Every structure is written in structure tokens, then in C-alpha cells.
Amino acid sequence: MSQAANAPRLSFGVKVSYGLGAVAQGVGTVALSTTTITFYLVGVVGMRPGLVGLVIMLSLIVDAVVDPAIGRFSDTFRSAWGRRHPFMYASVVPIGLATVLLWWRPPGLSGDAMATYILVTLVGLRLAGGVYTIPSDALSPELAPDYHERTTLIAYRWFFGLTAAAVLGVVLGVVFLRQDKSHPLGQYDPHAYAAFGVTAAVVACASILVSALATHRYIPRLSRAPARRQSFGDAAREIAAVLSNRSLLAVMASGLISGVASGVSATLTSFMNYYFWGLSPQQAALIGVLAAPAAILGIVVAPFLSRALDKKRTMLTVFALSIFTGVIPVALRLLGLAPHNGSVWIIVILASDLMVAGALGLIGFVIIGSMVADVVEDSAVKSGVRSEGLLFAANGLLPKVTTGLGSLVGGLMLEAVHFHVRVGPSGVHTVDPATMRNLALMAMPAGALLNSMAVAVLGFYRIDRGSHEANLEALRLATMVGDPPTLPGGGPLVEPDAFSPKV
């Protein structure tokens, strides 16, 4: 059932080498950012906001539909290199190629042809990313079976991912999109985005190879998929048993709701930065730099809070606080209490708020990742199979669909307020302040309400340290006496509760 049940503690080098793989995900955070893509397609390419939102939503829906299949295939794959590493290696070239093509604007394309090109490249990049991300994330429960050690391992993962995203975000704003006498177009220069795409592709591919090669030697200690044949019906029943786990459903429902809020926020961020707060790309990047310590703070604090309060209580607390802090700057502006645009205090306020909200959010996301990893053993005891890939893919499925929905909603919000950029005689781009105020009045309460609902739903999660350790013991005993009897299709012969601990 589990070769990882008696795994030794992980060394610092293992944690770092595994965490480095998240650099590719951090690069993807920027390269696939709804914020950046939406502004590029609307402000540079000239596509309608509603059409852009639709294209992003469709790409996320396709990605969400295919991801569980990738996870399931990864769980059942048998090779000399184990279940996960072949997928990680196979993703390198497709990720690099799709990243370059996404940010390269083909000459002569416009209208529906341009929308089709963006949709195809977006889908290709998201699917290639799934081929890497799902198997790579699925390694964490096996590398770290311990209840608290896996929180630390996932914290390393988030640290490298967020650091890469922050650094590349700064490079994008300060290097590629800089606006000065020698680069008058700044964030409106299509060639700058093309150069950024090449850089992002190189960094992402290098990260994948480094992490995959560094963890390759641990393949012998990882679980291997059993050799068996299943009918379609047997496989469907097994998948249904895995995905019906109550704690997983709580996490998925929370992700579904928060995904809409995240999609709306990501779609509107650049527009709010440039036209609500009056920031330049360099100033927006500077705020990211000033708030960067939040990543370190969150990584350090998350494991300690998890041990002190347990995972569920920690997550509920920090997510609730992050919702409150996240709306403070916009609320101050709407109430007339914020400094005027152009004041250095705007940067101070936004950076401080981003640092606090970012640290709280990061702690919550680290804990959530560890909670999903805990579902692996809980599901294995109840269903009789290890399905790390399917579980991690399923956890990301609904948020992707709803993030796409949020992107569409964000685009429709822009159209609802009649968003229009005026270009002055000197080339200055401006938007009517009343338009941006109306946009803020729509977006802020909607985001706060959705995020509050997402936090409330997580209250239904049921796994704690005691139940997790009982699950590990059940898996250890199953390993000692042999796997539980199975039906010809591979499902457990007895009801799950017959061999799962009573907790």
C-alpha cells in the first residue's frame, strides 16, 4: 500500500531540490498571469475585454477537464523511472515552446484569428504545465509522510515558487516594460513581451530539469503502481471513491468559490495599478519588491503556526485576516482618506498592505497544500489505492474553471463601467476617474464576499494530526500483512471502514 510509510526524515538538500521545481510554477504564475495577459491583449493587441475574458475562461476549462486525466495516468503509470519523473521530463520542451509562442505576436493576425491563436497557445501551455506540475506536486506526500514535515516541505515549495514569481515580475516591469526616453512605449511595446516570453521559457525549463534530476535518485523509495487491468466501469468507481472524500470536497468547494474572486482580482489588477492608483510599471514592480519579505515571513511562520494551532485552525485564522487587510487601501480611497496619486505614501500603503495580506495568504496556502497531502493517506485507507496525482489535480480542477469564470466576470465589469483609455496629444494614457471609482465599487465587495464564503466552507475539513497518524498506522499494517483483498477490477473487497481506523 505504501513504501513511504517508514521513510526517513528529509535532509535540507532534498527539501531545497524539491522546492526548486516550483520555480517553473512561479514563472508560470507570471507568464500565465491573467493580470498580465489581460492587459497585454486589451492594451497592446487591442482585443475587447469581454473576448479576452472568454478566451482565458475557455483555456482554463480545457485545462481543468484534462488535468484529472493527467493525474490518474500519473498514478497508474509504470516505468523504470517510477510514476512521476517521466512526465516531468516530457514537459520541458512543450512548456518552453508554448511560452515563447504565447508572448510572440504573429504579424498580420487580428480579430478572431488572433483570439484563436491565443486560445490555442494558452491551452497548449496550460496542458504542458499540468504534465509537469501535477506529478511534481504529487511527490510531496510520499517524500514527507509525517504530518508536520510535509508542511515544511510544501513551505519550501511555496518559497521558491513565490520568489521566482516576484523576481520575474520585477524583471518584467523594470527591464522589459520600462518606460523612458529610449523605451517610450513601455508596457505597450509588443517586442518587450516577446523578449519576456523567451526569458520565462528558459528559466522554467531549467528549473524543471534541475528539480527532476535532483529528485531522480529517490525514485526507488517511492510507491509503485500495482500491475492490474481495470474495466472502464471499475476505474470510474475507483475514481469516484477517491474523489468523494469529505475533506477533499471541502477544499475543492472552497477553491471553487475563491477561484472566482481570484479571477476577478487578477483581471483587474493592472488596470487598478495604472489607472486607479496612477502607478507606472516600475512603481508597481517596486511595490512587489517591497512586499517580497512576506514570502520569507510566511514560509518561516507557517510550520510553527501549524504545530501550535493545528492546520485547520491556522488556515481559517490567517485567511480571514487576509480578507480584511486586502480591502483596506481601496476602502481608504473610496472614503477619501487615501493620499493623492503620485504621493510616495501610496506606494508605502500598497506595499505594506500587500506584505501583510501576502504573508497571511501564503501561510494559508502552505497549510492548504499540506491539508491536501493529508487527504492522500485518508483516501488510501478508505479507497484502497494511492491517488496523489488525481487528488492534486482534482483540487486544482474547480479553481481553474472558476478562475476562468472570474476572468470573464472581470472583463464584463470593465465593459459595464465603459472602460476606455484616452490617449492625449503627448501620448499620455488616461481613464476617467469616475470609471475607475465605479469599477472599485463593483469589485471590492464582490471579492470580499466570495473569499469569506470560501473560508467558511473550509470549516467542513475533518483531518487532524490524530486521524492522520491513525491513517499512517493503518497503511503500515496493510504493508506488513499485504494489501487488502481486492475485487477483479482493483477495488477493495471489504468496505473501507472494515480496515480503516475508527477516529
Side-chain angles (χ1 to χ4, degrees):
M1 176 82 69
S2 172
Q3 296 178 5
N6 298 312
R9 292 281 181 170
L10 298 177
S11 67
F12 175 75
V14 175
K15 295 174 182 176
V16 170
S17 63
Y18 178 68
L20 282 171
V23 170
Q25 293 166 263
V27 171
T29 299
V30 179
L32 280 170
S33 166
T34 302
T35 299
T36 308
I37 290 174
T38 301
F39 184 83
Y40 167 68
L41 294 177
V42 173
V44 180
V45 178
M47 293 174 59
R48 287 178 49 242
L51 179 59
V52 172
L54 178 62
V55 166
I56 293 175
M57 183 183 73
L58 290 175
S59 72
L60 285 167
I61 289 175
V62 174
D63 187 24
V65 170
V66 176
D67 274 0
I70 296 174
R72 173 70 177 179
F73 190 26
S74 171
D75 288 333
T76 58
F77 190 74
R78 292 174 58 84
S79 77
W81 287 358
R83 297 188 293 168
R84 316 297 181 188
H85 283 74
F87 293 88
M88 296 160 66
Y89 291 125
S91 69
V92 175
V93 173
I95 285 177
L97 182 60
T99 302
V100 171
L101 292 177
L102 176 63
W103 294 105
W104 172 67
R105 181 181 180 182
L109 281 188
S110 62
D112 292 342
M114 185 64 187
T116 301
Y117 174 82
I118 292 296
L119 177 60
V120 171
T121 53
L122 261 180
V123 168
L125 181 53
R126 293 192 192 281
L127 294 184
V131 171
Y132 166 69
T133 301
I134 294 170
S136 181
D137 286 346
L139 287 174
S140 61
E142 295 186 88
L143 289 174
D146 182 76
Y147 183 73
H148 289 303
E149 188 179 28
R150 63 180 39 166
T151 301
T152 303
L153 181 64
I154 292 172
Y156 275 85
R157 192 83 167 170
W158 274 95
F159 171 76
F160 283 105
L162 288 179
T163 300
V167 171
L168 191 62
V170 171
V171 170
L172 174 62
V174 175
V175 178
F176 292 104
L177 304 185
R178 71 183 186 277
Q179 192 169 21
D180 51 36
K181 292 182 179 180
S182 59
H183 302 84
L185 291 178
Q187 67 267 35
Y188 301 98
D189 184 4
H191 300 292
Y193 290 95
F196 159 73
V198 173
T199 302
V202 171
V203 174
C205 292
S207 162
I208 294 171
L209 287 174
V210 168
S211 182
L213 290 170
T215 57
H216 193 100
R217 62 193 175 100
Y218 295 96
I219 291 174
R221 65 177 268 189
L222 303 177
S223 298
R224 300 184 68 85
R228 55 180 178 155
R229 292 183 178 181
Q230 281 187 309
S231 68
F232 179 80
D234 291 331
R237 283 188 289 273
E238 185 174 285
I239 292 171
V242 171
L243 298 183
S244 63
N245 184 281
R246 179 174 179 176
S247 293
L248 175 67
L249 292 176
V251 175
M252 290 177 65
S254 176
L256 184 152
I257 300 169
S258 64
V260 178
S262 298
V264 172
S265 175
T267 299
L268 301 180
T269 295
S270 288
F271 299 95
M272 294 293 287
N273 282 343
Y274 298 148
Y275 305 118
F276 187 80
W277 297 113
L279 302 176
S280 67
Q282 292 90 335
Q283 290 172 325
L286 175 62
I287 290 173
V289 172
L290 295 176
I296 300 176
L297 180 63
I299 297 305
V300 172
V301 171
F304 289 102
L305 284 180
S306 174
R307 292 176 181 272
L309 302 178
D310 204 73
K311 297 178 185 180
K312 178 178 173 179
R313 191 178 297 112
T314 299
M315 175 274 306
L316 291 174
T317 301
V318 299
F319 270 2
L321 290 174
S322 69
I323 294 170
F324 172 74
T325 58
V327 301
I328 290 177
V330 175
L332 290 175
R333 169 53 56 84
L334 293 176
L335 293 172
L337 301 177
H340 60 83
N341 285 355
S343 169
V344 68
W345 287 106
I346 289 292
I347 295 178
V348 172
I349 291 172
L350 293 179
S352 300
D353 182 77
L354 182 60
M355 179 184 295
V356 174
L360 292 171
L362 177 57
I363 293 170
F365 285 126
V366 169
I367 301 300
I368 283 289
S370 186
M371 290 165 70
V372 174
D374 292 341
V375 174
V376 169
E377 289 84 6
D378 191 63
S379 175
V381 169
K382 292 179 171 63
S383 68
V385 293
R386 292 191 66 94
S387 303
E388 296 93 332
L390 179 60
L391 287 168
F392 276 90
N395 179 53
L397 186 155
L398 293 179
K400 287 183 177 181
V401 175
T402 53
T403 297
L405 177 60
S407 176
L408 177 60
V409 171
L412 294 176
M413 282 183 176
L414 289 169
E415 295 201 1
V417 298
H418 304 292
F419 180 85
H420 175 70
V421 179
R422 297 190 296 255
V423 182
S426 59
V428 177
H429 293 66
T430 60
V431 175
D432 186 349
T435 297
M436 297 309 300
R437 180 180 178 83
N438 290 337
L439 184 63
L441 286 170
M442 293 175 63
M444 185 184 70
L449 176 62
L450 288 168
N451 284 319
S452 298
M453 293 170 59
V455 172
V457 168
L458 279 170
F460 293 97
Y461 185 89
R462 288 293 180 265
I463 303 173
D464 58 16
R465 181 176 181 177
S467 59
H468 174 73
E469 292 180 349
N471 286 333
L472 286 180
E473 179 64 12
L475 296 179
R476 186 185 69 81
L477 292 174
T479 303
M480 292 174 60
V481 302
D483 290 341
T486 59
L487 296 169
L493 180 63
V494 295
E495 291 297 320
D497 284 343
F499 64 90
S500 62
K502 305 298 183 183
V503 293

